[in-house]
């Protein structure tokens, strides 16, 4: 668990920015597909509203219907809470923006990257801007890169060097993928929406692979 005030200040700022963005959306935009596979914008909002207050029991209660699959559990809860009125979701995200807890089976070290990435999941498909300080993206990248499950970023991006151009972060070995830390964070979490902002021989390989995928 990361108890530092600066970490949680970054989490709070990101959550409040997302609430501000959601408040601006037209009804139809809430129904749009997000970058998170099979999740609409409202499902992502439901997830973000739930994370600070979710309990282990909430997850256990839906586990049988989700066949005890963590991804299905996450999706079921996101959709359930995402069905709420948009104003309620915005209010929940705002009221719990500074909350430093989550379910005991989860990890608060994931709170920052979860908010940053899901914020972009909403913003990018809607052609909205949700700026993220490079230092916040760097903190999130460090966590994602150190993890195994859920993303296995080191395994999926093995054979490449990832280098942030706007902050001090570099990992891997091989053809370079260089670009803003936020774009690298999205790549490390399985998103390809920012491929065009990445440069280098490694990035060219990824773009070619994606084009023929």
């Amino acid at each position: 668990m990361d108890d530092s005030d600066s970490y949680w200040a970054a989490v709070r700022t990101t959550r409040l920015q997302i609430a501000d963005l959601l408040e601006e959306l037209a009804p139809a935009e809430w129904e749009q597909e997000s970058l998170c596979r099979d999740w609409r914008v409202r499902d992502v909002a439901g997830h973000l509203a739930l994370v600070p207050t979710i309990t282990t029991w909430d997850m256990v209660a839906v586990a049988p219907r989700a066949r005890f699959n963590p991804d299905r559990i996450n999706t079921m809860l996101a959709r359930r809470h995402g069905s709420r009125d948009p104003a309620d979701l915005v209010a929940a995200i705002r009221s719990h923006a500074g909350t430093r807890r989550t379910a005991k089976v989860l990890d608060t070290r994931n709170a920052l990257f979860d908010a940053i990435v899901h914020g972009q999941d909403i913003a990018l498909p809607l052609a909205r801007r949700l700026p993220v300080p490079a230092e916040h993206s760097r903190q999130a990248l460090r966590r994602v890169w150190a993890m195994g499950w859920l993303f296995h970023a080191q395994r999926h991006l093995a054979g490449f060097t990832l280098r942030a151009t706007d902050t001090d972060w570099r990992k891997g070995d091989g053809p370079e993928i260089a670009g803003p830390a936020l774009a690298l964070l999205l790549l490390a979490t399985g998103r390809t929406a920012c491929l065009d902002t990445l440069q280098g021989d490694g990035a060219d390989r990824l773009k070619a692979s994606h084009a023929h995928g």
Side-chain angles (χ1 to χ4, degrees):
M1 176 174 178
D2 193 328
D3 284 320
S4 69
D5 289 341
S6 62
Y7 174 83
W8 287 107
V11 172
R12 180 178 183 275
T13 296
T14 305
R15 288 170 172 168
L16 290 175
Q17 285 180 315
I18 294 169
D20 289 343
L21 172 62
L22 289 170
E23 205 164 40
E24 298 174 359
L25 300 186
E29 290 178 297
W30 282 82
E31 310 304 327
Q32 293 287 323
E33 290 296 315
S34 76
L35 290 187
C36 191
R37 188 176 63 181
D38 298 330
W39 287 20
R40 300 162 298 170
V41 166
R42 66 163 53 252
D43 301 326
V44 179
H47 168 82
L48 291 169
L50 177 62
V51 163
T53 60
I54 191 172
T55 66
T56 300
W57 172 247
D58 292 328
M59 302 176 72
V60 170
V62 301
R65 289 178 56 203
R67 302 175 194 170
F68 299 94
N69 180 291
D71 289 334
R72 290 196 185 103
I73 291 171
N74 203 17
T75 295
M76 286 184 65
L77 290 170
R79 289 176 178 167
R80 175 183 296 176
H81 287 269
S83 67
R84 295 159 57 190
D85 183 80
D88 290 343
L89 291 171
V90 172
I93 293 171
R94 279 197 201 288
S95 64
H96 297 294
T99 300
R100 300 187 178 194
R101 62 180 181 273
T102 189
K104 290 183 178 180
V105 295
L106 301 179
D107 195 326
T108 54
R109 291 178 296 176
N110 299 345
L112 182 58
F113 83 69
D114 189 68
I116 291 174
V117 171
H118 282 314
Q120 300 304 311
D121 285 341
I122 294 168
L124 292 176
L126 299 179
R128 303 282 186 135
R129 290 191 72 252
L130 194 64
V132 179
E135 172 57 23
H136 293 179
S137 294
R138 184 176 75 91
Q139 284 184 272
L141 259 175
R142 288 170 58 191
R143 172 59 182 160
V144 169
W145 194 256
M147 296 171 67
W149 188 86
L150 169 75
F151 304 108
H152 299 287
Q154 291 191 44
R155 185 179 72 196
H156 292 313
L157 294 168
F160 295 104
T161 295
L162 277 66
R163 179 176 64 85
T165 54
D166 55 354
T167 187
D168 183 19
W169 190 85
R170 180 188 180 99
K171 293 292 181 181
D173 183 34
E176 186 173 81
I177 302 171
L182 179 58
L184 295 177
L185 174 62
L186 292 175
L187 180 65
T189 54
R191 278 80 171 166
T192 57
C194 288
L195 270 182
D196 288 346
T197 68
L198 299 172
Q199 308 294 325
D201 291 343
D204 291 342
R205 289 190 190 182
L206 282 182
K207 291 171 189 176
S209 174
H210 183 66
H212 295 98

